[in-house]
Amino acid sequence: MMFTTRFAPSPTGPLHLGHAYSACLASDMADAAGGTFLLRIEDIDTSRARPEWEAQIYDDLRWLGLDWPEPVMRQSERGSAYAEALERLDNIGLTYPCACRRADIEAAAGAPQEGVPRFGPDGRIYPGTCRHRPMSGRTDADVIRLNMALVADRLPDLAFDETGPAHAGSHGVSASDLVTTIGDPILQRRGMGGSYHLSVVVDDAAQGITHVIRGEDLFEATPLHVVLQYLLDLPVPTYHHHRLIRDEAGKRLAKRDDARAIATYRAEGLSPSDIRAKIGL
Ligand code: GLU
């Protein structure tokens, strides 16, 4: 069986124990399958990504004993691939421009006639205020959204396989459910090549990823990724969503959680195997 997986960190802060777990698990699973472990730098948000964090990522991962083929894919260099994918979705009439800011969305979604406010993987579900707008009326103040109701109309039954501990098995992706659980996701953010959802799908396919190994927090976004794979005619990888590493209080670790940064443990004299022991590998 072919097995290609990846670790895809964003260089917006120090790697912490949660990243160490994700990266080491992906690398271990690739080794066990006789497959390939790739690295991808998710620096699509150029306002937050920093070269020094990227350098620290390479340094920390090498110190942990990981190895990957060069050159590393960097999302900041992939703008034309995302533009091509967006154009494809635009050509089939599934996208629209949206100028709503967070406060507009809160106000529209909070109106009593809209019923119970709902949340999806990206926060509050977009109430559809700009859905009628044509792409030809797009301005620099707009994001691009996917019209999920139109997508649902043309979607066959889709599914993905999951091997992670919490949800192992085959998962159907229901088109009509997506309208209520995900809504109209952003495909392109202001001033960026693509959104996380669009770029991750385009890049996983471009890198030939057969197995996506990532945190449990992204399980909910996976049906959307499978829909985008269908619309863009891309293969659906097998997914493995792993447990999250938490602090003593049970809270998941965040980027700003410097206390559990790999670099901090290194400076304190811990070894790579001490780190592996800490995360249960
Ligand atoms: N760049 C994402 C993160 O740092 C990971 C995306 C993925 O693995 O699909 O959380």
Side-chain angles (χ1 to χ4, degrees):
M1 181 191 50
M2 262 231 315
F3 191 110
T4 303
T5 191
R6 52 40 168 207
F7 175 56
S10 300
T12 55
L15 294 189
H16 54 56
L17 286 182
H19 297 105
Y21 181 69
S22 205
C24 291
L25 180 69
S27 173
D28 288 359
M29 285 175 71
D31 282 351
T36 309
F37 168 78
L38 300 177
L39 180 62
R40 178 169 75 231
I41 299 296
E42 299 214 321
D43 57 351
I44 197 159
D45 184 352
T46 48
S47 68
R48 292 174 62 225
R50 297 276 177 274
E52 53 274 28
W53 292 129
E54 185 175 334
Q56 180 85 51
I57 287 172
Y58 300 135
D59 198 45
D60 283 342
L61 294 180
R62 286 208 186 89
W63 177 80
L64 281 169
L66 305 190
D67 199 12
W68 53 87
E70 302 280 352
V72 163
M73 180 178 276
R74 300 169 74 240
Q75 291 191 325
S76 54
E77 295 163 0
R78 301 267 304 144
S80 57
Y82 309 141
E84 207 174 290
L86 268 174
E87 195 180 319
R88 205 167 153 159
L89 299 172
D90 176 14
N91 284 342
I92 45 179
L94 297 178
T95 57
Y96 64 89
C98 168
C100 294
R101 300 278 171 170
R102 193 185 296 268
D104 304 322
I105 296 174
E106 288 295 322
Q113 69 270 24
E114 294 294 332
V116 189
R118 279 185 291 257
F119 292 84
D122 293 331
R124 192 181 290 281
I125 293 189
Y126 182 61
T129 320
C130 290
R131 208 176 276 147
H132 63 280
R133 288 183 53 202
M135 283 296 280
S136 56
R138 175 179 187 187
T139 75
D140 286 348
D142 291 322
V143 302
I144 302 298
R145 288 185 184 271
L146 183 68
N147 187 328
M148 193 56 95
L150 287 186
V151 171
D153 279 346
R154 61 163 68 197
L155 219 58
D157 288 339
L158 300 174
F160 66 95
D161 289 327
E162 165 71 32
T163 60
H167 308 275
S170 173
H171 294 264
V173 173
S174 143
S176 48
D177 278 4
L178 286 174
V179 176
T180 47
T181 57
I182 286 181
D184 293 353
I186 294 179
L187 297 179
Q188 184 176 49
R189 294 193 173 274
R190 290 176 191 93
M192 275 192 233
S195 66
Y196 160 67
H197 300 299
L198 184 78
S199 58
V200 80
V201 159
V202 168
D203 290 344
D204 281 338
Q207 290 191 296
I209 301 302
T210 60
H211 291 73
V212 170
I213 298 161
R214 61 186 180 188
E216 172 65 25
D217 53 323
L218 289 167
F219 179 75
E220 250 195 292
T222 305
L224 170 58
H225 297 173
V226 173
V227 166
L228 290 172
Q229 283 149 2
Y230 170 77
L231 295 173
L232 295 169
D233 214 4
L234 302 174
V236 179
T238 297
Y239 285 88
H240 183 103
H241 291 89
H242 59 69
R243 66 184 165 86
L244 300 178
I245 303 291
R246 296 179 184 277
D247 65 14
E248 294 76 14
K251 231 173 91 252
R252 64 179 274 228
L253 303 184
K255 276 270 161 60
R256 57 196 168 281
D257 208 345
D258 282 6
R260 287 165 193 83
I262 298 170
T264 309
Y265 288 117
R266 285 174 69 177
E268 286 169 0
L270 267 72
S271 70
S273 45
D274 293 333
I275 300 287
R276 278 187 168 262
K278 263 188 175 304
I279 54 186
L281 278 175

